[in-house]
C-alpha cells in the first residue's frame, strides 16, 4: 500500500478479524505487517539521522548510547546507525522500505553491494562519478526488489555494479580472497562447527574429494552420507597429526601442542572456547593434550611421538 502512513496501516491491520479472513486475506495481512515493519524502521532511521545532524557521530557516542538503550552490542548499533544514514543518502531505498517493496534485509544487501563502488578506478575517477553510479544501481534495485528474492537481488545488483565499474568487482574479489580462513565454533552437547572461507575453486576441490570418497554402497555401514563425509574429513587431519606430516611449512616445528583445557574429575561442565561440553567429553579431549616432538627441523626426519593417555581404543566415542 504505497503512500500509507504507519498509523493508518496499523489501524487497518489491527481491525482485521483473523478468524474470519480467508487464506488470501490472511496472506495480505502478513504482507501488510511486513510493510509496517519497514515503515517503523524507516521512521526510526529518520530519528537517528536527526541525532546525527545534532553532532552525534557514527563512530562517536551515538552507537554506544543506542546499544545501551536497546541492550544491543555496539556492532549491531553501529550497523543500525549506518543504515539510517544511508537511507537518508538514498531516498529510493527509503521509499521502497516504506512502501513494502523492500525489507531491511534487502536494503542492507543493496548497501553492501554498492559499497564496492569507490573513487580511484578508470570508470569512477572522482566522488561525483561514484555518486552517480551508486544512485543508478540503487534506483534499479529499488524498482525491481519486490519481485526478487534476496539471492536474486544480490546477483542483479552485483551485475549492475560490475557493469558500471568492472575494477570494483576485481578489487572486491581480491579483498575477499585475503580474508580466507578456517574457524572452529563450539556447539552444545560436545560438538563443534569447523567452517572454512575459501575461494570457490578450492571449496569445490574439498567437496569433490569428500563426495568421491564417500560415494560407496556398504550394506554394513549404516552411516548417512553426511556422517561419512564428516568422518572422512576428521580422518584426513587425524592421519596427518599422527604421522607428524606437514605440507604447510618449510621448517616444521620441533613440537606440536594440542591446546585443550585440562578439566578435573568434577562433574561441573568446563568452559571450552565459549561453550560448555559435557565433562566426560572435555576430559577425553584433554587426555590427548600432550607435547609431541614430530620432526627434525634440519631434514624433516620423524623423531618421536608422545603416548596417548588413554589410547583411542579405550576412549569414549
Amino acid at each position: 500500500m504505497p503512500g500509507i502512513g504507519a498509523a493508518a496501516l496499523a489501524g487497518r491491520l489491527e481491525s482485521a478479524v483473523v478468524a474470519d479472513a480467508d487464506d488470501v486475506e490472511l496472506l495480505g495481512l502478513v504482507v501488510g505487517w511486513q510493510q509496517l515493519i519497514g515503515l517503523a524502521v524507516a521512521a526510526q532511521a529518520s530519528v537517528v539521522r536527526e541525532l546525527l545532524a545534532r553532532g552525534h557521530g557514527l563512530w562517536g557516542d551515538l552507537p554506544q548510547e543506542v546499544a545501551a538503550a536497546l541492550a544491543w552490542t555496539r556492532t549491531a548499533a553501529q550497523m543500525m546507525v549506518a543504515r539510517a544514514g544511508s537511507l537518508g543518502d538514498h531516498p529510493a531505498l527509503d521509499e521502497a522500505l516504506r512502501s513494502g517493496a523492500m525489507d531491511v534485509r534487502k536494503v542492507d544487501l543493496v548497501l553492501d553491494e554498492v559499497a564496492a563502488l569507490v573513487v580511484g578506478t578508470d570508470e569512477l575517477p572522482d566522488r561525483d562519478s561514484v555518486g552517480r553510479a551508486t544512485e543508478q544501481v540503487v534506483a534499479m534495485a529499488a524498482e525491481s526488489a519486490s519481485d526478487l528474492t534476496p539471492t536474486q537481488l544480490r546477483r542483479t545488483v552485483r551485475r549492475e555494479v560490475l557493469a558500471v565499474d568492472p575494477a570494483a568487482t576485481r578489487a572486491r574479489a581480491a579483498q575477499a580472497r585475503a580474508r580466507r580462513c578456517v574457524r572452529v565454533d563450539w556447539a552444545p552437547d560436545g560438538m563443534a562447527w569447523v567452517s572454512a572461507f575459501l575461494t570457490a575453486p578450492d571449496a569445490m576441490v574439498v567437496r569433490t574429494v569428500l563426495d568421491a570418497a564417500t560415494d560407496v554402497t556398504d550394506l554394513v555401514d549404516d552411516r548417512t552420507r553426511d556422517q561419512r563425509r564428516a568422518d572422512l574429513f576428521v580422518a584426513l587431519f587425524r592421519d596427518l597429526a599422527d604421522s607428524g606430516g606437514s605440507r604447510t611449512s618449510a621448517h616444521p616445528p620441533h613440537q606440536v601442542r594440542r591446546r585443550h583445557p585440562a578439566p578435573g574429575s568434577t562433574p561441573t561442565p568446563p568452559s571450552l572456547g565459549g561453550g560448555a561440553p559435557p565433562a566426560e567429553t572435555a576430559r577425553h579431549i584433554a587426555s590427548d593434550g600432550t607435547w609431541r616432538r614430530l620432526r627434525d627441523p634440519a631434514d624433516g626426519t620423524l623423531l618421536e611421538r608422545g603416548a596417548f593417555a588413554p589410547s583411542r581404543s579405550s576412549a569414549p566415542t
Side-chain angles (χ1 to χ4, degrees), residues 8-265:
L9 179 57
R12 291 193 183 190
L13 293 170
E14 290 180 337
S15 65
V17 181
V18 173
D20 295 339
D22 60 28
D23 292 354
V24 174
E25 291 170 335
L26 289 175
L27 186 59
L29 290 173
V30 171
V31 175
W33 283 112
Q34 186 62 44
Q35 180 179 354
L36 185 61
I37 293 172
L39 281 165
V41 171
Q44 182 189 57
S46 66
V47 176
V48 172
R49 288 196 297 276
E50 176 62 25
L51 287 168
L52 289 172
R54 295 184 182 186
H56 301 275
L58 171 59
W59 305 111
D61 61 342
L62 183 55
Q64 183 174 343
E65 293 294 335
V66 170
L70 296 177
W72 284 4
T73 65
R74 184 179 177 86
T75 299
Q78 285 176 335
M79 290 178 61
M80 189 263 275
V81 173
R83 182 194 304 121
S86 297
L87 287 172
D89 295 335
H90 305 298
L93 289 182
D94 185 78
E95 177 56 32
L97 183 61
R98 292 176 183 272
S99 68
M102 299 181 75
D103 57 17
V104 175
R105 181 182 177 187
K106 290 183 177 181
V107 168
D108 288 346
L109 180 155
V110 172
L111 293 175
D112 180 58
E113 293 298 322
V114 298
L117 298 172
V118 295
V119 175
T121 65
D122 293 338
E123 291 83 0
L124 305 177
D126 52 49
R127 189 174 299 277
D128 288 342
S129 62
V130 172
R132 289 191 297 269
T134 300
E135 287 307 311
Q136 175 184 332
V137 176
V138 165
M140 178 282 305
E143 183 177 352
S144 58
S146 61
D147 297 324
L148 301 176
T149 66
T151 299
Q152 292 170 335
L153 180 60
R154 183 180 292 278
R155 291 172 180 167
T156 300
V157 175
R158 189 163 292 180
R159 283 196 299 268
E160 290 295 316
V161 169
L162 177 61
V164 299
D165 188 10
T169 299
R170 292 194 296 270
R172 183 171 56 192
Q175 293 170 356
R177 186 177 184 278
R179 296 196 302 271
R180 62 191 184 279
C181 63
V182 176
R183 292 179 49 189
V184 176
D185 297 302
W186 306 110
D189 304 320
M191 302 297 288
W193 286 98
V194 177
S195 57
F197 184 59
L198 308 172
T199 64
D202 287 345
M204 289 307 300
V205 169
V206 174
R207 183 58 185 260
T208 299
V209 170
L210 292 176
D211 283 350
T214 57
D215 187 17
V216 294
T217 301
D218 188 341
L219 298 179
V220 179
D221 190 348
D222 60 356
R223 294 175 299 171
T224 66
R225 184 75 177 274
D226 281 339
Q227 289 171 343
R228 294 199 301 273
R229 289 193 190 101
D231 293 345
L232 174 63
F233 183 82
V234 173
L236 294 173
F237 292 94
R238 180 173 289 157
D239 290 345
L240 185 62
D242 289 348
S243 66
S246 175
R247 296 180 55 193
T248 60
S249 175
H251 303 286
H254 287 276
Q255 296 172 320
V256 176
R257 175 160 175 78
R258 293 189 176 184
R259 294 181 297 172
H260 297 307
S265 59

